[in-house]
C-alpha cells in the first residue's frame, strides 16, 4: 500500500508511558476475567447451570485465544492505536474507506458499551451488599443507576487527572487482581471445608430456566464466558504508548487472554464447589457471587470483606476500559471517522491525553445506562452490546485476511505458521458468527416489551448515525487511516 497524503506515515503524539508490565497490567485489568465472570454469574446459572459456567468459559477461552493470536499478527505488522479499522485498511486497500469506517464505528461502540458493562457490574455488587445487610430493602433501578453514574464519573476523574500515574495504577491492578484471586479462592475453600458440592454438580449439572430449548439456553450462557475473555484489543489501542510495540504488543495480547481464561476457570470451579444450593443462589437479593461467599464463610461481614477484592478489581477495570475507549475515539477521530473529529482528536496540552474522548465516553455511557431504567433485561442488553460489537470488530480484519489468502502481511515478529493460522482464523470466525446471532436473543421467554434484548435497538441507533455521517461527510472526506511510525 503506497503512501499518499491521506495515509502517510506520522509520528505518535501520545507519550510512551507504559512498560510491558504496565501494559500487561492494563490488559489484564480490562479483561479482569475472574472478577467479570464471577460478577456475571446470573447470566449462565439459569442458562445452562454449571455446565455453562465451566465449559462455556473453556469454549469462549479457546476461541478468543485463536482470535487474539490472529489479531496479534496484525498488531506486530501495524502497531497503531486504530487497531482493527487500521488493519482492515492495509489488508484490502481497494475497499479501505467503507471497511475502515464500518470497523471503526463498531469498535468505538463496543468499547463505550464495555465501560457501561463494568459500571453496571460494579453497581450490582454494591446493591447486593446493601441487600445482604438490610434484607427488607427493595432495590429500585434508579438507585442502582446513581451508583452506576458514580463509578463512571470516578473512572473519568482518575483518567483525566491521573494520566501520569496510570502505568503504576495498572501494575498495581495486576498484582491486586492476582492476589485477590488467590486470597478469595483459598479463604472460601478453607471456610467451606468439608461441605463441598459434588464434582458432578460442578462439571455436569444442567439448569434451564430461560424458556428456550436446552441447546439454545446453553449457547446463550456463552455470553458470560465471552464477556470474561474479550476486549484484549485494548493492547492495540494503547500500543502507541509502549516501547518496542511490534514485539511486545502481540505477546501481551495473547498472554492476557491465556491468564484470564486460566484464572477465570479456576475461580469459577472453586465457587461452584462451595456454592451450596443453586436455587438459593439464583433467588438471592444479594446476587450470586455475594450469596456464594456468604454460604461459604457462614458470615455476612466476612463475605462482604472478601467481596471488596473483586469490587476494587471492577473499579480498576472501569478505569482501564475508559482509558482504552478514549484512545480508540482519539485514533478514529484523528482520521476523521467521527462527528466533531477535529475536537475529539485533540490531545490536551497539559494533561497529555485525549480529554475530549474521555468526555464523550463518559457522556455516552451515562446515556447508555438509561436503558437500565426501562428494561428488566438491560443487564443482558448492555453486556451483549459490548461483546457483540467487539467480536464483530475482531472478525473484520481476520475475514479480510482470509479472503485475501493470508499472505498480505509484511514480515513481522509475531507470525503464525500457515496451517495454525488458518485454523485459528476459521475457528475464531465461526465462534463470532454463532455468538453474534445468539447474543441478540432475549435472555428468556416469553418475551415482553420490558424483557426483550434491547441490544438490537442500540445497534440500530449506531448504524443510523454511522450511515448518516457517512452520507453527509465520510464518503467525500474519509480516506482511511494513516500509518504511525513505531
Amino acid at each position: 500500500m503506497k503512501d499518499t497524503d491521506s495515509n502517510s506515515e506520522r509520528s505518535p503524539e501520545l507519550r510512551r508511558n507504559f512498560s510491558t508490565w504496565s501494559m500487561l497490567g492494563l490488559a489484564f485489568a480490562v479483561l479482569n476475567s475472574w472478577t467479570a465472570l464471577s460478577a456475571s454469574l446470573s447470566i449462565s446459572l439459569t442458562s445452562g447451570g454449571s455446565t455453562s459456567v465451566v465449559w462455556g468459559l473453556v469454549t469462549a477461552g479457546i476461541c478468543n485465544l485463536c482470535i487474539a493470536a490472529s489479531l496479534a499478527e496484525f498488531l506486530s505488522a501495524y502497531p497503531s492505536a486504530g487497531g482493527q479499522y487500521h488493519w482492515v485498511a492495509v489488508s484490502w486497500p481497494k475497499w479501505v474507506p467503507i471497511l475502515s469506517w464500518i470497523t471503526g464505528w463498531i469498535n468505538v461502540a463496543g468499547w463505550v458499551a464495555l465501560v457501561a458493562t463494568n459500571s453496571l457490574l460494579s453497581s450490582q455488587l454494591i446493591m447486593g451488599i446493601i441487600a445482604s445487610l438490610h434484607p427488607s430493602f427493595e432495590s429500585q433501578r434508579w438507585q442502582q443507576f446513581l451508583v452506576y453514574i458514580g463509578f463512571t464519573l470516578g473512572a473519568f476523574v482518575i483518567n483525566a487527572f491521573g494520566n501520569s500515574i496510570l502505568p503504576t495504577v495498572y501494575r498495581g491492578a495486576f498484582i491486586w487482581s492476582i492476589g485477590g484471586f488467590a486470597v478469595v479462592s483459598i479463604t472460601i475453600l478453607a471456610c467451606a471445608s468439608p461441605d463441598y458440592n459434588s464434582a458432578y454438580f460442578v462439571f455436569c449439572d444442567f439448569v434451564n430456566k430461560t424458556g428456550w430449548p436446552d441447546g439454545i439456553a446453553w449457547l446463550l450462557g456463552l455470553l458470560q464466558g465471552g464477556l470474561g475473555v474479550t476486549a484484549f484489543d485494548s493492547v492495540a489501542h494503547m500500543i502507541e504508548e509502549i516501547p518496542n510495540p511490534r514485539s511486545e504488543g502481540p505477546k501481551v495480547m495473547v498472554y492476557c487472554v491465556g491468564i484470564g481464561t486460566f484464572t477465570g476457570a479456576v475461580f469459577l470451579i472453586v465457587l461452584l464447589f462451595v456454592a451450596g444450593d443453586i436455587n438459593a443462589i439464583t433467588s438471592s437479593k444479594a446476587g450470586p457471587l455475594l450469596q456464594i461467599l456468604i454460604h461459604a464463610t457462614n458470615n455476612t461481614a466476612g463475605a462482604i470483606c472478601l467481596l471488596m477484592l473483586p469490587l476494587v478489581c471492577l473499579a480498576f477495570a472501569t478505569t482501564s476500559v475508559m482509558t482504552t475507549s478514549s484512545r480508540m475515539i482519539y485514533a478514529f477521530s484523528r482520521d476523521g471517522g467521527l462527528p466533531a473529529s477535529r475536537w475529539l482528536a485533540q490531545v490536551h496540552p497539559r494533561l497529555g491525553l485525549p480529554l475530549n474522548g474521555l468526555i464523550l465516553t463518559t457522556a455516552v455511557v451515562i446515556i447508555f445506562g438509561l436503558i437500565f431504567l426501562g428494561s428488566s433485561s438491560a443487564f443482558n442488553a448492555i453486556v451483549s452490546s459490548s461483546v457483540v460489537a467487539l467480536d464483530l470488530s475482531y472478525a473484520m480484519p481476520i475475514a479480510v485476511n482470509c479472503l485475501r489468502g493470508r499472505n498480505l502481511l509484511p514480515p513481522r515478529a509475531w507470525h503464525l505458521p500457515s496451517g495454525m493460522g488458518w485454523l485459528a482464523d476459521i475457528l475464531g470466525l465461526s465462534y463470532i458468527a454463532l455468538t453474534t446471532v445468539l447474543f441478540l436473543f432475549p435472555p428468556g421467554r416469553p418475551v415482553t416489551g420490558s424483557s426483550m434484548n434491547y441490544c438490537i435497538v442500540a445497534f440500530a441507533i449506531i448504524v443510523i448515525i454511522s450511515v448518516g455521517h457517512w452520507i453527509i461527510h465520510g464518503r467525500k472526506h474519509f480516506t482511511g487511516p494513516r500509518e504511525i511510525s513505531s
Side-chain angles (χ1 to χ4, degrees):
M1 184 176 177
K2 295 181 179 179
D3 288 345
T4 65
D5 289 341
S6 63
N7 57 355
S8 59
E9 192 171 286
R10 62 190 167 193
S11 299
E13 300 172 66
L14 301 175
R15 303 166 187 164
R16 295 197 185 274
N17 288 354
F18 288 77
S19 66
T20 301
W21 274 106
S22 57
M23 182 57 67
L24 180 60
L26 178 138
F28 191 72
V30 168
L31 266 70
N32 209 19
S33 298
W34 71 275
T35 304
L37 289 164
S38 58
S40 58
L41 272 170
S42 58
I43 294 174
S44 54
L45 281 178
T46 58
S47 187
S50 298
T51 58
S52 182
V53 172
V54 176
W55 301 113
L57 173 58
V58 171
T59 302
I62 292 172
C63 293
N64 276 274
L65 199 58
C66 290
I67 297 168
S70 296
L71 293 182
E73 291 194 288
F74 285 94
L75 182 58
S76 183
Y78 303 103
S80 164
Q84 293 91 301
Y85 86 86
H86 184 114
W87 303 334
V88 165
V90 295
S91 298
W92 207 335
K94 178 181 177 181
W95 297 97
V96 165
I98 188 64
L99 287 179
S100 289
W101 185 273
I102 293 171
T103 307
W105 271 86
I106 291 173
N107 203 10
V108 167
W111 276 102
V112 173
L114 194 61
V115 180
T117 297
N118 279 279
S119 292
L120 186 57
L121 288 173
S122 304
S123 66
Q124 281 195 328
L125 294 187
I126 294 294
M127 301 309 292
I129 292 173
I130 297 172
S132 67
L133 294 174
H134 305 280
S136 61
F137 174 73
E138 291 293 335
S139 173
Q140 303 297 318
R141 288 182 192 166
W142 66 267
Q143 294 168 327
Q144 186 172 344
F145 179 66
L146 292 178
V147 179
Y148 167 94
I149 291 177
F151 271 93
T152 303
L153 293 179
F156 169 79
V157 170
I158 294 172
N159 270 285
F161 303 106
N163 187 50
S164 62
I165 64 169
L166 284 181
T168 303
V169 168
Y170 293 138
R171 285 194 296 270
F174 181 74
I175 296 170
W176 179 278
S177 186
I178 294 296
F181 158 77
V183 168
V184 176
S185 299
I186 293 171
T187 302
I188 59 178
L189 283 173
C191 290
S193 178
D195 184 23
Y196 299 138
N197 287 329
S198 66
Y200 180 87
F201 170 82
V202 173
F203 297 104
C204 303
D205 188 62
F206 184 85
V207 176
N208 180 10
K209 296 184 179 180
T210 65
W212 292 103
D214 287 350
I216 297 295
W218 190 91
L219 290 171
L220 291 175
L222 279 175
L223 178 59
Q224 183 204 12
L227 171 66
V229 289
T230 195
F232 43 83
D233 59 311
S234 60
V235 181
H237 306 309
M238 298 293 294
I239 201 69
E240 294 175 29
E241 298 175 61
I242 68 170
N244 304 316
R246 295 181 187 273
S247 59
E248 298 302 313
K251 290 187 288 187
V252 172
M253 180 179 281
V254 175
Y255 290 168
C256 67
V257 178
I259 296 171
T261 302
F262 175 75
T263 55
V266 171
F267 191 67
L268 290 179
I269 290 171
V270 168
L271 287 180
L272 291 173
F273 267 116
V274 304
D277 179 47
I278 190 71
N279 292 319
I281 297 169
T282 55
S283 61
S284 173
K285 292 182 179 179
L289 175 58
L290 182 53
Q291 184 58 43
I292 291 174
L293 297 179
I294 292 173
H295 178 268
T297 60
N298 199 28
N299 185 297
T300 301
I304 292 173
C305 288
L306 287 178
L307 190 69
M308 291 299 103
L309 293 167
L311 183 59
V312 171
C313 285
L314 280 174
F316 279 132
T318 306
T319 302
S320 56
V321 171
M322 185 175 286
T323 303
T324 310
S325 175
S326 66
R327 273 34 172 205
M328 178 60 211
I329 290 173
Y330 159 77
F332 195 40
S333 299
R334 190 172 55 185
D335 294 312
L338 293 174
S341 284
R342 184 173 298 179
W343 179 72
L344 290 172
Q346 293 176 4
V347 176
H348 194 278
R350 185 169 61 85
L351 298 176
L353 52 82
L355 181 63
N356 297 335
L358 280 172
I359 293 172
L360 178 64
T361 296
T362 303
V364 175
V365 167
I366 292 174
I367 295 171
F368 207 100
L370 294 175
I371 298 175
F372 183 75
L373 295 177
S375 172
S376 61
S377 64
F379 176 74
N380 286 72
I382 293 174
V383 174
S384 297
S385 297
S386 60
V387 176
V388 169
L390 289 174
D391 280 355
L392 283 174
S393 74
Y394 303 156
M396 294 292 282
I398 296 174
V400 167
N401 196 29
C402 288
L403 290 172
R404 301 283 286 168
R406 292 201 89 256
N407 57 6
L408 295 179
L409 294 180
R412 53 203 178 274
W414 180 274
H415 176 79
L416 294 177
S418 179
M420 186 180 296
W422 278 108
L423 177 63
D425 288 355
I426 293 172
L427 186 60
L429 289 174
S430 300
Y431 168 80
I432 293 171
L434 175 65
T435 55
T436 296
V437 175
L438 286 169
F439 293 168
L440 299 180
F441 281 30
R445 298 172 64 190
V447 182
T448 64
S450 64
S451 67
M452 73 169 285
N453 189 340
Y454 282 92
C455 173
I456 190 69
V457 177
F459 267 107
I461 294 172
I462 293 168
V463 168
I464 291 172
I465 296 174
S466 175
V467 170
H469 188 44
W470 171 260
I471 293 172
I472 296 171
H473 175 82
R475 63 190 177 92
K476 298 177 182 178
H477 304 286
F478 183 76
T479 56
R482 288 177 282 175
E483 293 188 27
I484 305 296
S485 63
S486 58

